[in-house]
Amino acid sequence: MTIQIGVNGHSMFASGAYRQINDEDVFKTLAAHKLKRYRLTIPLAADTDPWAATRFTSIVGLAANYGVTLEPVLALPLMWGDKTDAGKYPAGDAAAIYSQGYNRTLAFVRQFASSVGDWELGNEINLTVRDANGSPLFGKGWTSAEFAAYPSMVDFANLLRGMSDAIEQVRRDTGRNLRRIVGTTSTMFGYIDFMKANGVKVDVLGYHYYEHAGMDPTKYWGGVRPNFNLFTKLSSYGVPVAINEMNGAEIYDSTFVNTSTSASMSACNSNLDAMLARFSQYSFIEWIDLYELIDEPDKTGPDGRFGLMFNLSTPKPLMSTVDKYTGGPQ
């Protein structure tokens, strides 16, 4: 199996740098570099309906024209703290949260089931948990019980079960092979186990990988556990894996210089090359999405400089490395 390479972008939010570029130019760029997938977030809430469907309809058409597979991440009101969905389910209890997940997902996925096959149930929800010190569970989060201890995770389990059940219903109604992506990061595989134990179906396992050069994923940092083989762990779930965010962690360094000719850019580029070479070897990894298409200079710190390109007219050396794996322009 030849691994697919894709990229993340923010066309649906159309904010900041992405507001200033034309949608078709995005897909022309993807096609030119033979990037086969585009991961983007779709906010589904009272103040975005029916805007989200109208906007996504346009993006679906462009993706089809340019041979790009869309990978939507569904974002629902609970993900920004609204248990009632703007008062639609005033009780805000478990049944209300499940209904929010089911009804919003059902309507949207049904509308696009003939065009989009893979649907991701939220993004990095595992990172919303904070321990007693206010820190994420970095180095922890190995077990389902760790997540079950947090009421917020119980709420998210109800939401994702609603989302998962809705996609299952659309599968039955349409006969389409719709897949549910549930993802995690770092050592927090307990999040996946917790969601599965609560009735959330995982058809594709998502994982985000940002590391510095020299990290050996077969001897990955286990935090409270010994180092472990990341590939063995990912494959143990018995479903296809998507590394749906990847880039060099050098970008996080305070010394990183975001120019094409800097030593830090060269180090990051070499690291990305090694990552792609390594992860592409494993047949259970179905695709890799790089993060992200262009820089977002309106964001401060590292978040503004993750682009493979400075803008759609100016690629970084990172894009040339990606081209080596996609067959894009050399």
Side-chain angles (χ1 to χ4, degrees), residues 274-289:
M275 286 180 183
L276 287 169
R278 190 65 177 274
F279 280 75
S280 296
Q281 296 174 13
Y282 293 88
S283 61
F284 62 84
I285 298 177
E286 190 170 324
W287 71 84
I288 297 171
D289 294 326

Side-chain angles (χ1 to χ4, degrees), residues 2-327:
T2 301
I3 199 165
Q4 289 187 335
I5 306 292
V7 70
N8 285 261
H10 300 288
S11 293
M12 279 296 295
F13 279 108
S15 60
Y18 287 89
R19 182 187 293 128
Q20 301 167 29
I21 56 179
N22 181 275
D23 286 336
E24 185 158 17
D25 288 340
V26 168
F27 285 94
K28 284 180 179 178
T29 301
L30 299 183
H33 292 280
K34 297 189 178 180
L35 289 158
K36 297 300 185 182
R37 301 184 71 94
Y38 188 50
R39 181 175 182 257
L40 71 173
T41 299
I42 299 177
L44 298 180
D47 59 349
T48 60
D49 295 340
W51 170 87
T54 300
R55 177 132 175 75
F56 194 55
T57 297
S58 175
I59 290 174
V60 164
L62 287 167
N65 289 343
Y66 287 94
V68 174
T69 298
L70 292 173
E71 190 182 329
V73 182
L74 296 178
L76 273 62
L78 180 65
M79 297 174 192
W80 48 90
D82 180 5
K83 293 186 178 185
T84 72
D85 198 352
K88 189 174 182 180
Y89 309 103
D93 58 5
I97 292 169
Y98 175 90
S99 295
Q100 177 188 133
Y102 185 89
N103 292 331
R104 286 205 170 274
T105 303
L106 183 75
F108 198 83
V109 172
R110 178 175 281 159
Q111 183 171 349
F112 295 101
S114 63
S115 303
V116 178
D118 295 331
W119 300 86
E120 189 167 356
L121 312 186
N123 177 62
E124 294 188 347
I125 293 173
N126 61 291
L127 291 178
T128 65
V129 169
R130 295 291 186 271
D131 63 18
N133 297 319
S135 300
L137 300 179
F138 289 128
K140 304 175 184 178
W142 276 103
T143 67
S144 176
E146 289 174 86
F147 288 90
Y150 292 89
S152 65
M153 283 294 111
V154 175
D155 286 343
F156 277 121
N158 288 322
L159 183 78
L160 265 64
R161 187 173 70 257
M163 299 172 77
S164 175
D165 288 353
I167 292 173
E168 183 63 33
Q169 186 62 53
V170 180
R171 287 175 70 168
R172 294 191 190 115
D173 293 345
T174 64
R176 300 277 179 178
N177 182 29
L178 307 179
R179 299 191 297 179
R180 291 150 290 197
I181 305 169
V182 182
T184 192
T185 67
S186 184
T187 57
M188 301 180 207
F189 291 98
Y191 173 79
I192 303 297
D193 300 330
F194 173 67
M195 287 300 168
K196 290 179 66 177
N198 281 274
V200 179
K201 300 298 189 294
V202 180
D203 302 307
V204 178
L205 175 66
Y207 192 76
H208 295 178
Y209 189 81
Y210 297 91
E211 292 297 343
H212 286 87
M215 171 59 72
D216 181 355
T218 67
K219 299 174 183 174
Y220 205 39
W221 177 68
V224 297
R225 293 189 177 187
N227 287 6
F228 70 105
N229 188 320
L230 177 61
F231 301 117
T232 300
K233 182 62 178 176
L234 291 172
S235 67
S236 70
Y237 286 90
V239 296
V241 171
I243 307 299
N244 46 17
E245 287 189 23
M246 174 187 277
N247 210 327
E250 288 79 9
I251 293 170
Y252 286 109
D253 296 342
S254 61
T255 54
F256 185 84
V257 177
N258 193 32
T259 63
S260 288
T261 58
S262 73
S264 48
M265 180 69 78
S266 178
C268 183
N269 192 34
S270 175
N271 184 21
L272 181 62
D273 191 2
M275 286 180 183
L276 287 169
R278 190 65 177 274
F279 280 75
S280 296
Q281 296 174 13
Y282 293 88
S283 61
F284 62 84
I285 298 177
E286 190 170 324
W287 71 84
I288 297 171
D289 294 326
L290 287 309
Y291 192 89
E292 62 179 311
L293 181 59
I294 60 171
D295 279 353
E296 299 186 76
D298 54 306
K299 295 182 178 180
T300 59
D303 285 341
R305 60 192 186 211
F306 270 98
L308 301 177
M309 312 178 79
F310 295 106
N311 53 59
L312 289 185
S313 301
T314 314
K316 299 180 183 180
L318 299 170
M319 185 61 96
S320 294
T321 293
V322 172
D323 286 337
K324 185 169 76 171
Y325 292 90
T326 63

